[in-house]
Amino acid sequence: MKANQVNAPRGAGTYRHGQVKGLHLGSIAGVDIDLDWSLLIIFALITMALSGGVLPNWHADWGQTKVLLTSIAAATLFVASILLHELAHAVVGRRFGVRISRITLFVFGGMAHMEGEPKTWKAELWMAIAGPAASLALGILFLSLAQFIAGPLDIDPEHPAEALAHVGPVATVLLWLGPINIILGLFNLVPGFPLDGGRVLRAVLWGITGDLNRSTLMAASAGQAFGWTLMAMGFAMILGLRVPVFGSGLVGGLWLALIGWFLGNAARQSYQMRLIEDRLGRLPVSRVMHHDYRVIEPSTTVQQLVDDGFLVFSQRAYPVVAGDTLYGIISMEDVRPLQRDQWPVQRVADLMTPLNRLHTVGPSTAASKALSLLAEKGVNQFPVLEDGQLLGLVTREDILKWMVLGLGGPAAPRA
Ligand SMILES: [Zn+2]
């Protein structure tokens, strides 16, 4: 899977990086790798499914510890496989000039955060294909390795245990990982945006029609249809029906319905975001930001801020400024936890959110980008800074105002 920062899908997928806590794993090839805590859910589910059913079935003679350790190894390698899928997107994307700064692994898989959309349909095409190609290649590699280690296997799909009983742990893990990666590659090739296959579809339509918006709409509609299909199949499974490929069962059905919901949402929002970007064009933040706000000095007491600020004006947050330099922002929420008798004593500088913890943008940042960042970080406004100097504030309303008035102008022509 692959999502642009802006269609870091909401609802099922609302992945707000500023809020959801995770683990920074390090960086590979200049790409930051983050693990979201929700990844633990899929890790636990896989470990449980393997140790509670699959492995005891294949290897009745294995002890509990051996089963558990093998399951954990398989789940870890599964996560690593997803990471390689995303890295393939990132590396190919970079060759075509699309910067990917971060990959997040979360409960529904992986997400490569693109900085802006690919500039050409060819860039989109190759970048989208790279992930599933990596998964399919991994699947074939794992199966070949398993054959190499365990020798040729003649597995009867109805009774796999007979052939697998004599296979060691390493080959067992490979025999499980191989088909899983192939399924992962094929699933992502389903032509519904924002799945990789949907991006391939959009790239092809874009190449044929030259119209990115219409291509996105068509690919996203396919994505929504696929999402609805998965949800319907999931509910059928929950009701005890048997669905081709996915089988039956409550947990599997619930999972499928959730993925369907997630995909449908992501498809809808990707399209909306595309329209917003198109409407705003290359409008920079410096054009939309507002200047009609009051600032406050770091040495002001909280009492003064309340008496002369919060109680008098509708402004809810004040930039803390000395000279021209921004030091932080103080909002009503920062003041609320403070005891009343502390108001005359405490200074604004002690309570504010300092600059190094604020998200800021530069004057040349695209307004569409600022809009998506506001949603992603879950904040109301960004200070617009140039060389530490506060130029203005930009809020969602500032940007929406321009869209409502249709002032953004069309996007620059695409190659
Ligand atoms: Zn992908």
Side-chain angles (χ1 to χ4, degrees), residues 350-387:
D350 303 322
L351 281 182
M352 67 182 185
T353 306
L355 183 59
N356 59 16
R357 282 181 28 221
L358 283 178
H359 300 289
T360 64
V361 292
S364 59
T365 306
S368 58
K369 167 97 183 197
L371 188 65
S372 60
L373 281 175
L374 282 167
E376 193 194 334
K377 308 288 183 199
V379 295
N380 297 320
Q381 62 195 340
F382 286 133
V384 183
L385 283 191
E386 194 170 47
D387 301 328

Side-chain angles (χ1 to χ4, degrees), residues 161-176:
E162 284 169 22
L164 290 170
H166 306 290
V167 174
V170 175
T172 298
V173 168
L174 291 171
L175 279 172
W176 178 79

